[in-house]
Amino acid sequence: MQTAERLHFSAEDYLAWEATQAEKHEFVAGEVFAMVGARQDHVIVSGNIFAGLKQRLRGTPCRPYIADLKLKIEAADAFFYPDVMVSCHPGDLGNQQYISNPTLIVEVLSDSTAAYDRGGKFAAYRKLASLQEYLIVDIDARRVECFRRTAENDWLLHDYLGEVDCQLHSLSLSLPLAEIFEDIEAA
């Protein structure tokens, strides 16, 4: 992550400033970080997941969103741009700037963000009471790690690798790994 020119913002100042920027920036506790562009495989996999979710969620109260919509985590004083997220919360429908109550968040790993997606960002995501599942997608390994919240508020890892379907219990659906990694050349 790269810090933007101005080091400290309030959340309100960040939202006003971000609306005028050509590039996207994430916000964590007053600090603003520039987002770097994604490589083609990252965009393809994110799009595959979004498309699969959009198709399967038609006619439900749940909506998938792709990387250009912010996620607000009030308890972490943060705004992020997840690769894909799904909200089933009616309060999120009318907010044009951000989502606050996702059921599912998906991050597609890149070399520069992998440690943060697994560490600090996941710690912030866990502060969302609405979040039931967090997917970490590793393109190089053709692997999906699904962290699922338990009734005891612990997070249990379900590892999907090979010719299987990734089960999303929070949305009562599954996505085949072949669909998630469609159009990605073998490494």
Side-chain angles (χ1 to χ4, degrees):
M1 276 194 177
Q2 193 174 28
T3 305
E5 338 38 88
R6 186 172 168 198
L7 294 178
H8 288 283
F9 285 90
S10 68
E12 296 76 25
D13 289 342
Y14 159 76
L15 287 173
W17 176 81
E18 177 73 355
T20 67
Q21 301 304 300
E23 293 86 26
K24 296 187 295 190
H25 300 82
E26 293 188 329
F27 170 88
V28 180
E31 290 190 76
V32 177
F33 302 92
M35 305 274 302
V36 296
R39 60 187 182 135
Q40 186 177 152
D41 285 353
H42 187 116
V43 174
I44 290 170
V45 168
S46 297
N48 289 346
I49 293 168
F50 173 80
L53 291 169
K54 178 72 175 165
Q55 177 185 17
R56 289 166 176 83
L57 292 172
R58 277 196 176 91
T60 75
C62 301
R63 290 189 184 169
Y65 301 91
I66 200 130
D68 286 334
L69 187 64
K70 288 182 280 301
L71 168 64
K72 179 181 181 181
I73 306 175
E74 194 163 339
D77 189 25
F79 288 90
F80 296 107
Y81 285 95
D83 290 314
V84 180
M85 59 183 162
V86 174
S87 175
C88 304
H89 194 279
D92 282 337
L93 294 178
N95 194 329
Q96 294 298 312
Q97 283 191 295
Y98 55 80
I99 294 300
S100 299
N101 303 286
T103 299
L104 169 74
I105 296 175
V106 180
E107 290 289 1
V108 178
L109 296 180
S110 63
D111 293 340
S112 62
T113 65
Y116 188 56
D117 288 344
R118 293 178 184 282
K121 192 177 269 191
F122 186 29
Y125 288 168
R126 290 192 306 263
K127 293 180 179 191
L128 291 162
S130 64
L131 187 64
Q132 297 301 307
E133 289 174 307
Y134 176 49
L135 297 186
I136 295 176
V137 182
D138 185 334
I139 295 172
D140 295 334
R142 301 291 194 279
R143 174 181 178 182
V144 175
E145 298 170 23
C146 176
F147 291 90
R148 191 170 295 133
R149 189 187 300 260
T150 68
E152 295 77 32
N153 206 32
D154 294 322
W155 289 86
L156 185 60
L157 170 63
H158 299 269
D159 212 0
Y160 297 99
L161 187 64
E163 298 297 317
V164 298
D165 291 354
C166 176
Q167 302 296 321
L168 300 175
H169 293 185
S170 64
L171 301 172
S172 301
L173 61 84
S174 63
L175 290 175
L177 263 58
E179 187 176 327
I180 290 171
F181 297 111
E182 184 180 0
D183 296 328
I184 301 298
E185 299 299 318

